[in-house]
Amino acid sequence: MNAVSQIFAVLAAVVYIAVFPLESFLMHRPWAQKFLSTPPRNVPAVMMWAIPTGFRNLVIGLGVLAGVAAVNMGYLVVGYTLVVYCCLNMVLTAPAMFLADMLGHYPKKGDSIPGTLGATVPALLALVTLPF
């Protein structure tokens, strides 16, 4: 796995791991609500989904890091499998934020764009640069 692909994979993992505590533990904080585009009045209703989503993000992020580590330790099949699977998961599921936005479930249209890009683009770049 080349250095560029590894950098984007690790960046994708860091994004997912960093968002984990915000979704799972800090959603009641105003700055976390703003970052996650969640109005304070909606926090109690979304917590039953936010906590498992945060943990899912943690596991996917750790999977990417484990894959990069495995590749660098010479376990190429395991490493590539983890990185490709986890990055594909990110690329295929993160745009659901944009879908929810377009269906009117965000405070204002377009609020999901930064989060969707942050959760999708690094993983997509890791996959695209993988063969080089």
Side-chain angles (χ1 to χ4, degrees), residues 9-11 13-14 17 59-71 82-83 86:
V10 169
L11 177 60
V14 167
I17 293 167
V59 170
I60 293 295
L62 291 175
V64 171
L65 294 181
V68 170
V71 165
L82 279 168
V83 170
C86 292

Side-chain angles (χ1 to χ4, degrees), residues 73-85:
M73 292 188 307
Y75 301 102
L76 299 181
V77 173
V78 170
Y80 274 86
T81 301
L82 279 168
V83 170
V84 169
Y85 175 78

Side-chain angles (χ1 to χ4, degrees), residues 18-80:
V19 171
F20 153 68
L22 301 180
E23 291 173 326
S24 295
F25 303 113
L26 301 172
M27 182 75 83
H28 295 287
R29 307 278 168 95
W31 58 270
Q33 294 164 9
K34 183 176 179 176
F35 181 81
L36 296 169
S37 300
T38 306
R41 69 183 179 279
N42 293 356
V43 170
V46 302
M47 286 311 296
M48 75 171 104
W49 295 292
I51 292 170
T53 298
F55 275 89
R56 178 194 82 60
N57 287 341
L58 174 65
V59 170
I60 293 295
L62 291 175
V64 171
L65 294 181
V68 170
V71 165
N72 285 291
M73 292 188 307
Y75 301 102
L76 299 181
V77 173
V78 170
Y80 274 86

Side-chain angles (χ1 to χ4, degrees), residues 9 76 101 128:
L76 299 181
D101 187 346
V128 168

